[in-house]
Amino acid sequence: MSRTPAVHFGPGRLGLGLIVDVLLETKRYDVYLIGAPGREPGEYGTYFLRFTDPAFGLRERLVAWAGNPKDLSDLPEPLLCELRGHGPMLFTAALGATNVTTARSLIAAMLSLRPEQAPTALLACENEPYELYDELQSTFPHVDVRHCVVDRICAWDPRPRSQPGRRILAHDVSEWVIPQATSPALEGLRDVKDVLLLAGDADAYRDRKLWVVNGIHLVLATIARREGVDLLPLTGHRERTFREHAKPLAMAMLETAERVYDLPADEHFADERVRAFCEVPDSATRILSKRYLRRDLRPFAHRLNTRISESARAARECDVDVDPFVWAFREVVEAIRRSDSFLDVSEIDPATGRLRRCKQPPQVNANIDREVEELFATALDWAPEPDAMLLKRRISSALATWRED
């Protein structure tokens, strides 16, 4: 089989640790790596992927070309020839909110070079449904744009670099789900471990991942901050307690997905994800970034609603036990009651790695707090009334202790 050219936008943790890694592992793709324009230091054609499980070892990854182009004139001639060619070509993107807007013009310019008859696929490998990709589909109807479900916990490798190139620390548990996978550009991904090519949509897999992975990860990070811990994984009794409750929550979510989508509840899926949470070095601050803030908890409440409450509502409608979801909210509310847990209240002491109080307390707005209370009330509309009433009272009381009104 001849190699298919593949262009990847976004050499971050997930992009390198899952997408590019899988493409290179197939030995069926030549990968061109596109970083942020003008970034210093620039991208290298070599990077290193180390797994938390020593059995998987360290992989040295080589791409066909890596750079930080501002426009088409910065691209190498071989890539420009591939873009104008009539053979299949794959584009993948894992940009995140910071880079998705910046990359638009270059992605559009590269897609514009593709002949209409040339098989072309663009896979959005994001955790959020950015409008950019739907806009590109409208602009380039000959390109198969697909929103994927991607799942692998990746972090920057903290060990000192001995060679130039990014270093990623990854867990072995992973999944890459591609819906409506009919493009010839995707043939190289068939029968590849942890890659699932679907004939239909990926709604079931998206919700399963959103609930079991992102939802429980959010609860884990909140518990860690509450316990005065930033570096994950949890250890000792904290880890044992988390495992004891996270598994039933994951199974309740999977049972719900089975009843809603007819997607079999896979206990192995639950075990593997909980295992990953308890093995991967990570940061609670990173997971909760820009959301778990005392001055404005609205983004955090929104995230709880989409990650936990939506699955809890579906569980209640499907007659699945909601007690595991109540546990998740109890843990979160308890964290909110302990004021030191917020990202803008406590910071990481660089000398000790422990949390310490910030010198300047955050400003509190009563109107924002009222919105937060309303959002939590909505997020608990599925809960048994006694639990919902108690948790709402505790939220209200916890927020009021910060205000003088």
Side-chain angles (χ1 to χ4, degrees):
M1 177 185 291
S2 61
R3 289 178 180 264
T4 299
V7 177
H8 178 75
F9 298 91
R13 296 182 299 267
L14 180 66
L16 296 177
L18 175 61
I19 308 307
V20 178
D21 179 56
V22 169
L23 292 175
L24 293 175
E25 187 72 6
T26 68
K27 297 179 173 56
R28 300 169 185 170
Y29 291 93
D30 289 324
V31 178
Y32 296 83
L33 194 61
I34 308 291
R39 173 188 283 165
E40 292 294 340
E43 309 305 329
Y44 283 90
T46 303
Y47 73 92
F48 301 89
L49 183 66
R50 180 168 67 91
F51 285 87
T52 53
D53 186 343
F56 289 85
L58 176 72
R59 298 176 183 172
E60 180 179 5
R61 289 306 200 189
L62 305 175
V63 298
W65 181 84
N68 302 82
K70 296 180 180 179
D71 51 41
L72 294 177
S73 66
D74 294 329
L75 297 178
E77 190 58 35
L79 175 54
L80 291 171
C81 290
E82 298 281 15
L83 289 167
R84 298 187 181 102
H86 289 268
M89 193 164 189
L90 176 63
F91 294 81
T92 58
L95 294 162
T98 303
N99 299 308
V100 71
T101 302
T102 307
R104 188 197 189 290
S105 61
L106 182 59
I107 297 175
M110 295 176 74
L111 293 178
S112 69
L113 295 182
R114 294 293 292 158
E116 290 190 7
Q117 299 78 17
T120 308
L122 168 59
L123 303 181
C125 305
E126 311 279 4
N127 284 317
E128 302 291 342
Y130 300 117
E131 294 180 357
L132 163 69
Y133 301 104
D134 294 329
E135 293 172 0
L136 290 170
Q137 179 69 94
S138 298
T139 306
F140 304 99
H142 60 289
V143 177
D144 293 316
V145 179
R146 303 289 182 255
H147 291 273
C148 300
V149 179
V150 286
D151 175 13
R152 177 180 274 175
I153 301 178
C154 302
W156 295 120
D157 193 337
R159 299 195 303 184
R161 297 182 183 183
S162 57
Q163 297 170 287
R166 297 177 185 272
R167 301 183 69 96
I168 300 93
L169 181 65
H171 198 272
D172 58 285
V173 171
S174 68
E175 185 176 61
W176 183 5
V177 182
I178 305 171
Q180 301 170 339
T182 57
S183 172
L186 302 175
E187 285 303 309
L189 289 170
R190 295 203 179 277
D191 303 318
V192 173
K193 181 180 180 295
D194 295 333
V195 176
L196 184 58
L197 301 181
L198 302 179
D201 64 48
D203 292 351
Y205 296 91
R206 181 168 292 108
D207 278 354
R208 183 177 74 170
K209 189 259 182 176
L210 194 69
W211 299 346
V212 178
V213 178
N214 299 106
I216 298 179
H217 213 190
L218 182 69
V219 175
L220 168 62
T222 311
I223 291 173
R225 290 289 301 194
R226 184 191 71 198
E227 297 297 313
V229 174
D230 182 67
L231 294 180
L232 297 171
L234 297 176
T235 58
H237 76 279
R238 295 187 181 113
E239 178 194 349
R240 292 191 293 273
T241 301
F242 172 75
R243 283 181 179 268
E244 178 184 348
H245 292 91
K247 172 70 178 291
L249 177 56
M251 289 307 301
M253 291 170 165
L254 292 177
E255 186 177 349
T256 302
E258 180 176 52
R259 298 190 186 187
V260 172
Y261 296 110
D262 200 27
L263 182 65
D266 184 353
E267 186 172 0
H268 179 70
F269 184 94
D271 287 334
E272 289 291 86
R273 269 60 193 177
V274 173
R275 177 173 73 86
F277 294 147
C278 295
E279 291 179 353
V280 178
D282 208 334
S283 163
T285 297
R286 182 196 69 79
I287 298 167
L288 299 170
S289 176
K290 300 179 182 179
R291 295 185 181 89
Y292 191 58
L293 304 171
R294 178 58 191 90
R295 64 177 178 270
D296 188 355
L297 274 170
R298 289 174 297 183
F300 180 73
H302 279 298
R303 184 57 57 104
L304 278 174
N305 192 40
T306 57
R307 274 32 176 190
I308 303 293
S309 297
E310 286 187 3
S311 56
R313 291 186 193 101
R316 186 186 64 180
E317 292 174 3
C318 296
D319 201 27
V320 173
D321 182 14
V322 297
D323 279 352
F325 299 95
V326 174
W327 165 78
F329 267 84
R330 284 176 183 155
E331 296 297 299
V332 168
V333 170
E334 186 60 28
I336 291 173
R337 294 176 72 193
R338 299 190 191 184
S339 59
D340 281 346
S341 65
F342 300 111
L343 298 180
D344 54 350
V345 173
S346 293
E347 60 187 2
I348 304 168
D349 185 340
T352 65
R354 298 178 181 273
L355 299 185
R356 66 182 182 190
R357 274 263 182 166
C358 298
K359 294 179 180 179
Q360 184 67 37
Q363 295 294 314
V364 178
N365 184 300
N367 292 329
I368 291 177
D369 278 358
R370 280 191 285 272
E371 289 186 46
V372 171
E373 290 184 44
E374 293 170 2
L375 288 169
F376 267 94
T378 300
L380 286 163
D381 60 6
W382 52 269
E385 186 173 356
D387 295 304
M389 292 295 293
L390 176 61
L391 291 170
K392 286 188 285 188
R393 283 200 303 269
R394 287 180 174 175
I395 284 288
S396 179
S397 174
L399 296 177
T401 59
W402 277 81
R403 302 193 306 270
E404 297 179 358
D405 58 356

